[in-house]
Amino acid sequence: DAGITQSPRYKITETGRQVTLMCHQTWSHSYMFWYRQDLGHGLRLIYYSAAADITDKGEVPDGYVVSRSKTENFPLTLESATRSQTSVYFCASSERLGLEGNEQFFGPGTRLTVL
Amino acid sequence: GENVEQHPSTLSVQEGDSAVIKCTYSDSASNYFPWYKQELGKRPQLIIDIRSNVGEKKDQRIAVTLNKTAKHFSLHITETQPEDSAVYFCAPKSTGNTPLVFGKGTRLSVIA
């Protein structure tokens, strides 16, 4: 589990501010994911990435930006935070998306509060 | 895209009883069916999975069964213990390089 980390673990910000959540994995997994977790909604995919410089939208991408210049890092940026983005954010990684090697390993989460 | 529903959304059982959580999905091309467990304040973790060419898989007190015709799969926990209390998510996956689609979760409470 120490192979995937997130920072910060807790963040309080104000509406309109830019916030970046960091995710780092040491397994050299190809795939990385960002989810948000809200009561009643489970885990919703925001963005995912198949490799460096390859990203795809998930179910709820609006208001978020991602980049992946290095395989091990996958930062998530809220360019202008809104109260509706208050949530717990999980980063995850997996070797593949096929039938094998697709177990997702989650980071510890970042609890973000937007005031 | 995949439409996933879990039932029930909450479940309370007495310690030692069995628990069953059902997951229905819409994409008939789905071929991988995992269950994740998330304890309070922790990260989700894979506990068991099954592929479409297998009808049932067991791992000690937990099992997963698959009914491809009806498009649902279920998590079975026998002899429940307090440490089984958690939120459980199903996450069926379609063919190709498509990501998992998580259900909304089932909160299981095991009462001692």
Side-chain angles (χ1 to χ4, degrees):
Chain A
D1 285 357
I4 183 163
T5 57
Q6 292 183 233
S7 63
R9 295 291 314 279
Y10 302 90
K11 176 75 178 177
I12 300 174
T13 190
E14 294 178 339
T15 302
R17 296 211 178 220
Q18 182 178 84
V19 177
T20 295
L21 309 183
M22 304 300 293
C23 179
H24 175 80
Q25 52 106 354
T26 60
W27 294 305
S28 299
H29 283 169
S30 295
Y31 285 87
M32 295 187 76
F33 309 84
W34 274 108
Y35 294 90
R36 60 177 291 173
Q37 185 172 33
D38 307 287
L39 203 61
H41 291 279
L43 291 159
R44 291 184 291 175
L45 182 63
I46 304 170
Y47 271 97
Y48 66 105
S49 168
D53 298 322
I54 301 175
T55 61
D56 265 307
K57 293 179 180 180
E59 179 187 355
V60 289
D62 293 344
Y64 303 95
V65 175
V66 292
S67 62
R68 195 163 176 210
S69 57
K70 292 184 178 181
T71 301
E72 60 266 31
N73 297 324
F74 191 37
L76 175 74
T77 298
L78 290 65
E79 293 195 306
S80 179
T82 64
R83 290 195 184 90
S84 65
Q85 293 177 309
T86 293
S87 186
V88 178
Y89 291 85
F90 284 100
C91 177
S93 71
S94 69
E95 282 187 78
R96 305 183 191 89
L97 267 189
L99 206 51
E100 302 291 337
N102 50 23
E103 176 180 355
Q104 288 194 14
F105 296 88
F106 285 80
T110 295
R111 183 176 294 276
L112 176 67
T113 301
V114 183
L115 302 177
Chain B
E2 182 83 273
N3 197 15
V4 180
E5 290 190 3
Q6 278 184 239
H7 293 283
S9 56
T10 60
L11 179 60
S12 290
V13 299
Q14 291 291 131
E15 184 177 357
D17 287 351
S18 295
V20 181
I21 303 169
K22 184 177 179 179
C23 181
T24 60
Y25 60 95
S26 59
D27 187 350
S28 57
S30 293
N31 60 1
Y32 174 67
F33 308 93
W35 284 95
Y36 283 75
K37 175 185 181 181
Q38 185 181 25
E39 296 177 10
L40 188 63
K42 302 287 181 65
R43 69 193 80 187
Q45 291 186 301
L46 177 71
I47 55 169
I48 197 167
D49 57 11
I50 197 169
R51 287 163 179 79
S52 59
N53 57 346
V54 176
E56 181 176 0
K57 182 178 178 181
K58 286 184 181 177
D59 183 3
Q60 299 182 334
R61 294 187 298 106
I62 62 173
V64 55
T65 57
L66 172 64
N67 184 328
K68 281 218 77 178
T69 304
K71 290 190 279 187
H72 64 74
F73 62 111
S74 297
L75 176 68
H76 304 255
I77 307 173
T78 59
E79 300 172 22
T80 53
Q81 299 170 4
E83 54 263 37
D84 295 327
S85 295
V87 178
Y88 293 83
F89 294 97
C90 64
K93 184 192 171 312
S94 187
T95 54
N97 287 335
T98 55
L100 302 177
V101 178
F102 284 84
K104 292 184 178 180
T106 296
R107 182 174 298 280
L108 173 65
S109 300
V110 180
I111 304 161

